[in-house]
Amino acid sequence: MVEGKSLGSKMFRVFNYTFLILLAVMCLIPLIHILAVSLSSNVAASAGIVKLWPKDFTLKSYEFVLSKGEFLLSLWVTVKRVVLGTALSMFLSILIAYPLSKSGRELKFRTGYAWYFVFTILFSGGLIPWYMTIRSTGLLDSIWALIIPGAVPVFNVILLLNFYRGLPKELEEAAFVDGASHWKTLWRIYVPLSMPSIATIGLFTVVGHWNAWFDGLILMNSQDNYPLSSYLQTVIVQASLTNMSAEQLKNLATVSDRTVKAAQIFVGALPILAFYPFLQKYFVKGMVMGGVKE
Amino acid sequence: MLKKNYKKQLPLHLMLVPGIILVFIYSYIPMVGSIMAFQKYIPSKGLFHSKWVGLKNFHYLFDMPDFYQVLWNTVFIAVLKIIFGLIVPIAVAILLNEIGKTLVKRWIQTLIYLPHFLSWVILGGVLIDILSPSNGLVNQFLGLFSIKPIFFLGDNNWFPFTIILSDIWKEFGFSTIVYLAALTTINPSLYEAAVIDGANRWKQTWSITLPGILPVIILMATLSLGNVLNAGFDQIFNLYSPLVYESGDILDTLIYRVGLIDAQYGVATALGLFKSLISFALVSISYWLAYKIADYRIF
């Protein structure tokens, strides 16, 4: 937009900057507050005098959290699910998107296949039949329950197949002339050229696995098998809201474990915060890529 | 020729096999499993030996006094989320666009995208702490203006709005991305011409900026139609309590409690099927409209 030099225009700019900066600060303040509480002494936190800077600085809460066996156990489950789950679902996405990116002439039933996958976005069997299916395939209480049922991320497949389609046809034609198979063409030509898109959906998947909590909560009977997010759900949220009287709920923030909860919240958010600069770059790219198709 | 073609295509078909099998087991079998909505389902008997009860589960459901309240809560929360989830990001994107490409803009973007990436478990924990009526940050702040502490998560008058507002807070930044991308496609010479014609900033916004991103706005509005029954399970599950069932219990949380806590599998599946069918119709209509209006294709 063209900058005006009038008084009104200047006033608008002052207002605009102030408003947007306030908005941005509002997104950060709650997290800073939680960090400050987690680094404060119990007494200060219970008294409600901690605002955005720690009072009576201490790392006790973190020491306590990191020394808990359940915490470390669930962190290990999460590491496993992130690594295995991301590897499997990336492999499948790359593999499925390739044939679907072909035209109907190159692959018979192409449209039928595509609808077979897309239909699962439109309609689902619902929570209970889904749970029963996983139960009858014997995955309950196994790490695979957190990986296999969601291993085909249809949205990512669509994102990737649209990217594949944008690649120049001449490259694969040249590869075929040289006698390369589909398999080779996919891994030697398509995958290296699609790295921006693959990185984007890879990060989608990692964040998704890190954040997922509900599947762990219902598919794991034993708490020992909970991933970190499910474990945090039980110690931060459930412990706060379930089976509490109105009076207890009102006094929630005064209970003595407030700093411990804050530390757990912060540890749960930390990997996301640490990877956030990369995330932002790729997510923005990916969103724009997914939205602007030819 | 035909044989050669087949031989060339075979690897492509084979590549789809693992995906087809997994999707069949974990997406299509549960769809078939929805028929337990018409059964008195007992896990040990399985889908084939449980007793058929016809529409009994649905009758039970529609006779439940809570059902209509829950349906209303769901639609109320979801529709308000959709409306403000459209307006707020559009407004913020337009305001951000006014700043130009500066370091400040990049910093603002970085900060407002952030909450999107955190789960509702984390943000639920954050909100429970800062919204506490006794010494949460928000009520302390309101106290500065002599406002009495508000029990945001425990008061039925406040709960739905707390849910809507906190959801907007989490997602508005990330939702600006689509509109910011659309804004960059507007031809700058249009603005220059408008200035020569004496159009002020407000006029420019109305007659150039908004029409310029209108196709994207229409597309996003259309696609959001499919969410009318999605009030946000993750968020509500992590913020609600029996105190606010009256205003905050939604279809998904009810399905969870009836099915997995009370183990009334048939009734919960009936409720799930009710939701799935309506959502299916809504999503289909929204995609069809998006295709007709904006030439949007899923694949």
Side-chain angles (χ1 to χ4, degrees):
Chain A
M1 211 164 265
V2 180
E3 292 291 337
K5 292 186 181 67
S6 66
L7 181 68
S9 171
K10 266 187 201 139
M11 270 172 56
F12 168 76
R13 271 175 66 193
V14 172
F15 157 80
N16 193 19
Y17 271 90
T18 318
F19 176 74
L20 287 173
I21 290 172
L22 270 178
L23 218 53
V25 167
M26 263 171 48
C27 290
L28 197 61
I29 279 190
L31 294 173
I32 294 179
H33 173 66
I34 294 297
L35 179 63
V37 170
S38 73
L39 293 169
S40 300
S41 73
N42 244 325
V43 182
S46 315
I49 52 171
V50 182
K51 301 286 184 299
L52 302 176
W53 198 255
K55 286 256 155 54
D56 314 330
F57 181 89
T58 169
L59 288 172
K60 274 228 166 66
S61 304
Y62 287 92
E63 278 168 27
F64 177 74
V65 170
L66 295 174
S67 67
K68 275 205 292 193
E70 300 107 317
F71 181 88
L72 297 172
L73 213 58
S74 65
L75 183 62
W76 174 234
V77 174
T78 292
V79 170
K80 278 195 288 188
R81 85 172 283 178
V82 168
V83 172
L84 293 173
T86 306
L88 181 65
S89 98
M90 288 309 290
F91 174 75
L92 287 170
S93 304
I94 289 169
L95 200 65
I96 296 166
Y98 178 75
L100 295 184
S101 72
K102 302 291 177 199
S103 69
R105 215 158 41 84
E106 292 165 284
L107 174 69
K108 224 177 165 200
F109 313 123
R110 184 256 168 196
T111 312
Y113 284 133
W115 275 110
Y116 176 83
F117 288 102
V118 169
F119 187 73
T120 62
I121 303 180
L122 305 178
F123 188 74
S124 87
L127 178 66
I128 307 301
W130 177 78
Y131 172 81
M132 289 299 168
T133 307
I134 293 170
R135 186 169 139 150
S136 46
T137 47
L139 292 183
L140 286 195
D141 256 327
S142 141
I143 179 89
W144 298 106
L146 309 176
I147 293 168
I148 291 178
V152 183
V154 177
F155 270 111
N156 294 352
V157 170
I158 294 171
L159 205 73
L160 202 53
L161 86 84
N162 281 321
F163 195 87
Y164 283 171
R165 276 191 193 162
L167 299 176
K169 271 274 169 214
E170 293 79 15
L171 286 170
E172 70 162 26
E173 276 158 17
F176 289 146
V177 170
D178 291 344
S181 61
H182 276 300
W183 182 259
K184 258 206 176 124
T185 311
L186 169 60
W187 294 102
R188 297 274 172 82
I189 295 176
Y190 274 74
V191 170
L193 288 176
S194 308
M195 267 344 246
S197 185
I198 289 173
T200 305
I201 63 170
L203 286 166
F204 269 110
T205 313
V206 169
V207 173
H209 268 293
W210 178 272
N211 280 342
W213 55 276
F214 186 64
D215 54 357
L217 206 63
I218 62 171
L219 299 177
M220 302 293 134
N221 293 321
S222 156
Q223 284 234 9
D224 291 350
N225 297 322
Y226 274 6
L228 184 64
S229 290
S230 308
Y231 169 72
L232 291 179
Q233 207 276 337
T234 58
V235 293
I236 299 169
V237 178
Q238 269 181 37
S240 306
L241 296 174
T242 321
N243 303 324
M244 275 203 185
S245 67
E247 208 42 47
Q248 282 174 305
L249 270 169
K250 273 189 184 165
N251 294 325
L252 204 60
T254 56
V255 294
S256 59
D257 63 356
R258 187 178 177 197
T259 58
V260 172
K261 277 191 181 147
Q264 283 165 327
I265 292 172
F266 203 75
V267 173
L270 195 61
I272 303 274
L273 298 176
F275 279 108
Y276 182 57
F278 304 98
L279 279 176
Q280 197 202 348
K281 189 174 149 212
Y282 282 105
F283 268 96
V284 173
K285 252 195 209 160
M287 286 284 287
V288 175
M289 247 167 13
V292 188
K293 298 184 299 200
E294 51 274 85
Chain B
M1 181 62 206
L2 204 74
K3 192 152 186 209
K4 202 178 144 211
N5 201 8
Y6 172 76
K7 216 174 157 187
K8 188 151 166 50
Q9 285 198 2
L10 185 65
L12 294 176
H13 292 279
L14 286 178
M15 284 178 184
L16 290 169
V17 171
I20 287 177
I21 294 174
L22 278 176
V23 167
F24 181 79
I25 297 175
Y26 292 106
S27 294
Y28 282 92
I29 290 183
M31 287 182 207
V32 176
S34 315
I35 57 168
M36 67 173 81
F38 307 98
Q39 295 180 327
K40 185 175 170 50
Y41 183 80
I42 294 164
S44 59
K45 290 188 178 168
L47 203 57
F48 299 108
H49 299 104
S50 291
K51 206 175 116 201
W52 291 90
V53 294
L55 292 174
K56 210 175 131 201
N57 290 328
F58 287 91
H59 286 306
Y60 177 84
L61 211 66
F62 298 140
D63 287 342
M64 247 163 63
D66 291 355
F67 173 76
Y68 298 93
Q69 183 66 45
V70 167
L71 190 60
W72 166 249
N73 293 344
T74 309
V75 175
F76 179 75
I77 293 173
V79 168
L80 283 178
K81 276 185 179 177
I82 290 174
I83 294 171
F84 289 101
L86 278 168
I87 295 174
V88 176
I90 293 168
V92 174
I94 290 174
L95 290 178
L96 263 175
N97 197 46
E98 298 281 328
I99 300 192
K101 277 211 185 310
T102 58
L103 194 66
V104 184
K105 182 182 176 185
R106 271 212 300 278
W107 267 100
I108 293 173
Q109 284 175 291
T110 302
L111 290 180
I112 63 177
Y113 298 164
L114 178 62
H116 168 82
F117 296 98
L118 299 168
S119 72
W120 273 117
V121 169
I122 300 296
L123 293 181
V126 171
L127 287 176
I128 292 168
D129 186 291
I130 66 170
L131 295 178
S132 154
S134 51
N135 57 10
L137 200 60
V138 173
N139 275 312
Q140 286 186 354
F141 179 74
L142 294 176
L144 297 179
F145 308 96
S146 326
I147 297 172
K148 285 215 181 77
I150 297 167
F151 197 1
F152 291 100
L153 295 173
D155 182 333
N156 281 305
N157 294 318
W158 285 97
F159 187 76
F161 301 101
T162 310
I163 289 294
I164 293 158
L165 195 68
S166 58
D167 185 63
I168 301 296
W169 171 76
K170 181 179 192 280
E171 300 296 340
F172 83 93
F174 198 69
S175 309
T176 59
I177 293 177
V178 182
Y179 302 108
L180 286 170
L183 283 166
T184 59
T185 63
I186 297 176
N187 187 347
S189 64
L190 289 176
Y191 291 114
E192 283 155 24
V195 170
I196 294 169
D197 290 347
N200 62 19
R201 198 177 279 273
W202 186 243
K203 267 237 169 76
Q204 290 175 35
T205 304
W206 270 113
S207 28
I208 301 172
T209 311
L210 273 177
I213 60 171
L214 193 63
V216 177
I217 296 176
I218 291 174
L219 179 64
M220 298 312 281
T222 315
L223 292 179
S224 65
L225 182 69
N227 284 327
V228 168
L229 289 186
N230 288 330
F233 174 80
D234 280 23
Q235 180 193 17
I236 292 181
F237 189 79
N238 283 311
L239 290 172
Y240 83 157
S241 60
L243 285 179
V244 288
Y245 281 176
E246 186 191 324
S247 66
D249 199 14
I250 55 168
L251 286 175
D252 289 319
T253 46
L254 187 64
I255 293 170
Y256 169 80
R257 290 203 315 278
V258 172
L260 294 178
I261 305 294
D262 304 341
Q264 298 191 58
Y265 301 115
V267 178
T269 307
L271 196 54
L273 190 60
F274 170 81
K275 192 201 161 202
S276 288
L277 286 174
I278 295 179
S279 289
F280 176 57
L282 289 172
V283 174
S284 303
I285 292 170
S286 77
Y287 278 151
W288 181 78
L289 279 176
Y291 170 67
K292 285 284 163 196
I293 300 171
D295 200 28
Y296 175 84
R297 289 189 187 92
I298 317 176
F299 60 88

